[in-house]
């Protein structure tokens, strides 16, 4: 028996319960993992609340990302062996546990140059950033881009990565403290959206030319403004709906400038696409090891205190990446 967090009913942080669970032997194509750290994602909160049709059937162990050491492999597994350090990010829940079973194809190797705790903090956000800047819209030197929530977990990585590529990065944030962080993370221009109209500021910064792409995780509150910021044949890349789902898109909103609209997520890598998953993970960890990307691991909680971690996350007392450490009780 090992310890894990389970959810038996949807609700507030208090529904996260600390229990004994049985971890079976891995089956065909599976591995057993002793976890070093588990990432905390706001999607975990949405699932816990039972929102957005994301929640799996009850009861379940939450969490979709982590890193640890392989302790057993099932029949047919050749991608890793006992003793390997691996990380994963997946729509398959079950990471809030000291040990877990995982499909081997979802695990990626963590190089010795990257701490497993940092890998757990980076894997979901980093793969999301990778798919945004390489697949949703391929950022190249000379592009001018807008990143909403630039000081958020994904936004921070996108800003750093796009800056390193050679793009001009504009970010929106809510506070002066977050503005300072966004500057540190590579934003050339930071817009305090509570004090300024971000559309007007973008057009001022770009001398009325607009943007090649907007990366928007906010959704409803920023969607129309984001479209207004784009130049002809610009890309609107949505990857979250923190303020709610935007109204259905009308043809007349995109036709005048021949705009492109897409939604990007890491499922492009994690659903039957292991080859690209490995390339993306290697790219992510290589850039972390070289110092090109800095993962802001600002908060660590024992796994048994997941309730408090959720409370702090929802009250915005935490920023950057948050991890749960299974071996600290």
């Amino acid at each position: 028996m090992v310890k894990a967090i389970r959810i038996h009913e949807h609700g507030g942080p208090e529904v996260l319960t600390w229990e004994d669970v049985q971890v079976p032997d891995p089956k065909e194509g599976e591995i057993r993992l002793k976890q070093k750290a588990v990432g905390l994602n706001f999607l975990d909160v949405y699932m816990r609340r039972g929102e957005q049709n994301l929640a799996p059937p009850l009861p379940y162990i939450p969490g979709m990302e982590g890193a640890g050491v392989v302790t057993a492999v099932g029949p047919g597994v050749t991608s890793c062996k006992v003793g390997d350090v691996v990380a994963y990010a997946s729509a398959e829940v079950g990471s809030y546990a000291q040990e877990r079973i995982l499909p081997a194809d979802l695990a990626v190797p963590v190089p010795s140059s990257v701490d497993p705790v940092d890998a757990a903090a980076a894997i979901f956000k980093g793969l999301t950033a990778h798919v945004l800047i390489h697949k949703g819209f391929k950022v190249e030197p000379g592009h001018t881009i807008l990143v909403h929530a630039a000081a958020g977990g994904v936004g921070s990585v996108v800003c750093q990565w796009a800056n390193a590529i050679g793009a001009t990065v504009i970010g929106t944030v809510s506070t002066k403290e977050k503005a300072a962080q966004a500057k540190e993370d590579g934003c050339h221009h930071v817009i305090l959206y509570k004090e300024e109209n971000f559309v007007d500021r973008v057009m001022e910064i770009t001398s009325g030319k607009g943007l090649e792409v907007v990366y928007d995780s906010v959704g409803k509150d920023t969607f129309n403004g984001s479209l207004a910021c784009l130049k002809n044949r610009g890309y609107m890349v949505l990857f979250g709906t923190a303020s709610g789902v935007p109204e259905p898109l009308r043809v007349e909103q995109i036709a005048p400038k021949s705009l492109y609209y897409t939604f990007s997520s890491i499922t492009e890598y994690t659903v039957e696409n292991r080859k690209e998953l490995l390339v993306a993970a290697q790219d992510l960890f290589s850039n972390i090891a070289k110092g090109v990307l800095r993962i802001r691991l600002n908060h660590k909680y024992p796994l048994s205190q997941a309730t408090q971690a959720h409370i702090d996350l929802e009250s915005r007392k935490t920023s950057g990446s948050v991890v749960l450490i299974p071996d600290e009780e």
Side-chain angles (χ1 to χ4, degrees), residues 8 25 30 46 56 80 119 125 161-162 179 188 194 207 277 290:
H8 294 269
D25 293 330
E30 294 180 336
Y46 294 145
C80 58
K125 299 172 182 67
W161 220 328
H188 300 89
K194 292 183 178 180
S207 300
L277 169 62
K290 290 186 294 187

Side-chain angles (χ1 to χ4, degrees), residues 181-258:
Q181 176 188 314
K183 278 282 190 180
E184 291 178 3
D185 288 341
C187 278
H188 300 89
H189 307 275
V190 182
I191 300 170
L192 291 165
Y193 67 82
K194 292 183 178 180
E195 301 177 11
E196 306 172 278
N197 182 297
F198 76 84
V199 178
D200 292 343
R201 283 288 290 126
V202 164
M203 301 314 289
E204 178 185 346
I205 292 167
T206 63
S207 300
K209 296 177 181 178
L211 307 159
E212 275 80 14
V213 62
V214 177
Y215 292 112
D216 192 338
S217 62
V218 178
K220 185 176 182 179
D221 290 351
T222 54
F223 189 81
N224 290 334
S226 295
L227 292 175
C229 290
L230 292 169
K231 60 172 54 174
N232 288 351
R233 296 181 298 280
Y235 277 69
M236 173 66 181
V237 182
L238 194 69
F239 66 102
T241 55
S243 68
V245 178
E247 295 295 323
L249 189 67
R250 303 186 308 277
V251 172
E252 58 265 29
Q253 291 177 274
I254 60 174
K257 294 192 287 185
S258 299

Side-chain angles (χ1 to χ4, degrees), residues 5 22 28 35 41 57 62 87 89 102 105 121 166 179-180 188 195 204 215-216 232 240 242 258 269 296 301 312:
I5 295 290
Q22 186 74 42
E28 178 89 21
Q35 305 207 96
N41 192 305
L102 184 75
D105 283 349
H188 300 89
E195 301 177 11
E204 178 185 346
Y215 292 112
D216 192 338
N232 288 351
S258 299
Y269 291 154
R296 292 182 175 273
Y301 296 81
D312 292 345

Side-chain angles (χ1 to χ4, degrees), residues 291-303:
V292 174
L293 300 178
R294 176 177 56 177
I295 303 303
R296 292 182 175 273
L297 179 49
N298 294 341
H299 304 276
K300 298 179 183 179
Y301 296 81
L303 179 59

Side-chain angles (χ1 to χ4, degrees), residues 81-135:
K81 63 183 184 302
V82 172
D84 284 354
V85 179
V86 299
Y88 63 92
S90 167
E92 294 196 25
V93 297
S95 67
Y96 283 28
Q98 293 172 326
E99 299 184 31
R100 72 165 298 178
I101 297 296
L102 184 75
D105 283 349
L106 295 179
V108 297
V110 177
S112 59
S113 56
V114 176
D115 187 292
V117 176
D118 290 337
I123 187 68
F124 199 105
K125 299 172 182 67
L127 290 181
T128 301
H130 192 280
V131 77
L132 290 173
I133 64 175
H134 290 287
K135 302 292 184 180

